[in-house]
Amino acid sequence: MKVMGRDNDSSLGGFILVGFSDRPWLELILFAFVLVFYTLTLLGNITIIVLSIVDSRLHTPMYFFLSNLSFLDLCFTTSIVPQLLWNLWGPKKTISYNGCVAQLYIYMVLGSTECVLLCVMSYDRYVAVCRPLHYTVVMNPRLCLQLMAVSWFCGFLNSFVMCPQTMQLARCGHHQVDHFLCEMPALIAMACEDTALVEAFAFVLGVVLLLVPLTLILTSYGMITVAVLRIKSAAGRRKAFNTCSSHLIVVSLFYGTIIYMYLQPANSYSQDQGKFLTLFYTIVTPSINPLIYTLRNKDVKEAMKKLLGWKQGTGGV
């Protein structure tokens, strides 16, 4: 297919995801590890979504955004884990060309959307803490939907700009992706042509979608910290801290690994290091997000107790 680049026949034979095949002893351990954390991701995030729908006390902007984050995490991990489990379990490590393209598009759309959504969630917390009397007016349903639409638009824009550029790079017949998924840095590293322009685009978009939201998040929490310190009652300060600390933990886990992965030159990119970091933010982080929010959030814990109590009640009838 000429459209896919110079001397590039990957579209015919697909790709081989090398993954952890150089460590056969590790694959079975990772299979169990990924399966456990994927199960936790499904249970935890579905629980958050269900609670946000069925409990009227959670029909607020904060839980609207949290349920959207859970939905993103569900889709994010599901776009990766089934293929990963298949490759870890069996001898075949292949993925079709179309499957690789689909995985790259979906992965980048959801990851980029989550970057912007975490920024939106910090703005929600800023309004809740710094402008509590105006919270329901400012964070009205229309604005919440508009902010979610902007998050998704940024995700699709980044994917539709970077994915075609990445897939059109000439690979001179190379089929082996030194990763367990079709990730942009690994695909760029396979190219047999100058990738400076693609890397420049990736860096610029990385700054826009990573550093700009992170700067806004840190600014929001700087203003929240000032507002919290002005609260005279210890109970009020504790409540404000508990409301925001969960989000800060999630932001730190997600942005810390993503920035390290994507804002470094390709020639300094360590594939082994990249694999384990990617495993962390694609498998581990989505599974512990619901736990972080549940353990530190009184409303979610009470909604959980109410739902379980209702189930127990109906079970005894």
Side-chain angles (χ1 to χ4, degrees), residues 45-281:
N45 286 291
I46 289 172
T47 299
I48 293 288
I49 293 169
V50 171
L51 290 176
S52 299
I53 293 172
V54 302
D55 197 301
S56 58
R57 291 173 299 179
L58 303 185
H59 293 173
T60 63
M62 175 181 172
Y63 296 105
F64 169 74
F65 294 128
L66 179 56
S67 62
N68 274 276
L69 177 65
S70 292
F71 175 74
L72 278 173
D73 282 341
L74 273 177
C75 297
F76 192 56
T77 52
T78 302
S79 70
I80 298 163
V81 170
Q83 177 75 42
L84 174 58
L85 290 175
W86 174 263
N87 289 349
L88 288 172
W89 182 257
K92 289 188 176 181
K93 314 294 181 184
T94 57
I95 184 171
S96 68
Y97 178 83
N98 289 334
C100 186
V101 171
Q103 188 179 69
L104 181 64
Y105 268 91
I106 294 169
Y107 175 84
M108 291 194 67
V109 167
L110 297 173
S112 304
T113 301
E114 186 161 337
C115 289
V116 182
L117 177 57
L118 289 173
C119 180
V120 169
M121 292 174 74
S122 72
Y123 175 70
D124 171 70
R125 292 300 83 209
Y126 159 75
V127 177
V129 174
C130 299
R131 301 181 62 190
L133 298 179
H134 301 92
Y135 180 69
T136 54
V137 177
V138 175
M139 299 304 297
N140 58 76
R142 182 180 179 183
L143 179 63
C144 291
L145 289 172
Q146 289 174 338
L147 291 172
M148 273 310 308
V150 169
S151 300
W152 280 103
F153 174 77
C154 291
F156 277 105
L157 180 64
N158 181 48
S159 184
F160 289 150
V161 169
M162 288 309 307
C163 289
Q165 292 192 56
T166 302
M167 297 309 298
Q168 287 172 12
L169 289 171
R171 296 183 183 86
C172 303
H174 298 154
H175 294 272
Q176 289 195 342
V177 182
D178 193 9
H179 215 302
F180 61 81
L181 78 160
C182 291
E183 191 181 38
M184 188 175 67
L187 290 169
I188 292 175
M190 292 172 61
C192 59
E193 64 173 294
D194 184 17
T195 60
L197 185 61
V198 176
E199 288 183 49
F201 267 105
F203 183 81
V204 170
L205 286 173
V207 169
V208 172
L209 287 171
L210 291 173
L211 295 186
V212 171
L214 182 59
T215 301
L216 293 173
I217 289 170
L218 295 176
T219 302
S220 295
Y221 277 100
M223 299 174 76
I224 288 171
T225 301
V226 172
V228 168
L229 292 175
R230 289 176 181 168
I231 299 175
K232 294 182 179 180
S233 69
R237 285 197 299 271
R238 194 179 307 112
K239 182 179 179 181
F241 175 76
N242 287 336
T243 302
C244 300
S245 58
S246 301
H247 184 238
L248 268 178
I249 294 170
V250 171
V251 166
S252 301
L253 290 172
F254 183 79
Y255 273 97
T257 50
I258 291 283
I259 287 175
Y260 183 83
M261 285 282 297
Y262 283 93
L263 294 185
Q264 61 174 321
N267 55 13
S268 66
Y269 181 77
S270 168
Q271 288 293 356
D272 281 344
Q273 195 177 53
K275 291 174 191 177
F276 288 102
L277 283 173
T278 304
L279 198 65
F280 180 79
Y281 77 78

